[in-house]
Amino acid sequence: MPLVTADLAVSMDGIAAGRDQSAEHPMGAEVGFRLHNWLIEHAEDHADELAAMHDAGAFVMGRHMFGPDRGEWDLDWTGWWGEEPSYHAPVFVLGHRPRRPVEMEGGTSFTFVTDGIEAALKLARDAAGDRNVAIAGGPTTLNAYLRAGLVDELRLHVAPLVVGTGIRVFEGVTGQAYVPVTSRTTPHVTHLSWRRARP
């Protein structure tokens, strides 16, 4: 049975992004890329975790993960990732304003969904077929799926630092239990994986 997985880089105090995101500061100036040092500068040491992050037949992300603009869409903006994003699969972007799909090189497409998290997940499941669906972030979107009990496997990549302020994973998430699956620690990050415990 295909799973709904999610990966997120966080600080030791659970911060995953700043509240001041902009084109100059994709993760927010208060956070920067400190949470992602392990995959930017040491990707070769984390090849298995990176492969698992991209091993999905479709992805779901929030609008702020797709880009920095608010309000009406900037139709010239096609994501942070250049002409060939690393997803190589359909990506369903949650938002409140409709926009035509964007086709990118390498098999990535962005489809914009205004009907909520369950509608986006259904579209992603249909597109993924017998492969997993990945919730690609950011933290607000992940928290919505966690609150709804829709994430089967959660993988947090914990950077060894405390940020203090920003958007935390598990905000508003209550009453759930998880079973540890794997953990691995390097000098740059601790990878933690859990499966949701079923009643």
Side-chain angles (χ1 to χ4, degrees), residues 44-87:
E44 66 280 0
D45 298 326
H46 306 277
D48 290 345
E49 288 82 9
L50 290 172
M53 289 172 66
H54 291 98
D55 184 21
F59 297 83
V60 177
M61 69 174 58
R63 178 171 179 174
H64 299 172
M65 180 76 178
F66 177 76
D69 55 328
R70 306 293 187 264
E72 295 299 325
W73 288 104
D74 174 0
L75 298 181
D76 293 328
W77 181 269
T78 57
W80 304 101
W81 307 276
E83 294 299 317
E84 187 173 347
S86 59
Y87 298 103

Side-chain angles (χ1 to χ4, degrees), residues 102-141:
V102 175
E103 299 285 338
M104 305 294 288
E105 294 179 13
T108 299
S109 62
F110 294 105
T111 299
F112 302 90
V113 182
T114 59
D115 297 332
I117 63 171
E118 293 190 9
L121 182 57
K122 183 181 186 310
L123 290 170
R125 284 188 188 277
D126 290 345
D130 61 357
R131 298 185 65 196
N132 291 344
V133 170
I135 309 302
T140 301
T141 296

Side-chain angles (χ1 to χ4, degrees), residues 3 10 12 15 17 38 64-65 87 92 96 100 110 122 132 150 155 157 159 179 185 197:
L3 301 175
V10 298
M12 292 171 62
I15 301 297
W38 62 275
H64 299 172
M65 180 76 178
Y87 298 103
F92 298 89
H96 298 292
R100 292 184 182 278
F110 294 105
K122 183 181 186 310
N132 291 344
L150 295 173
R155 301 186 290 245
H157 311 281
V179 177
T185 298

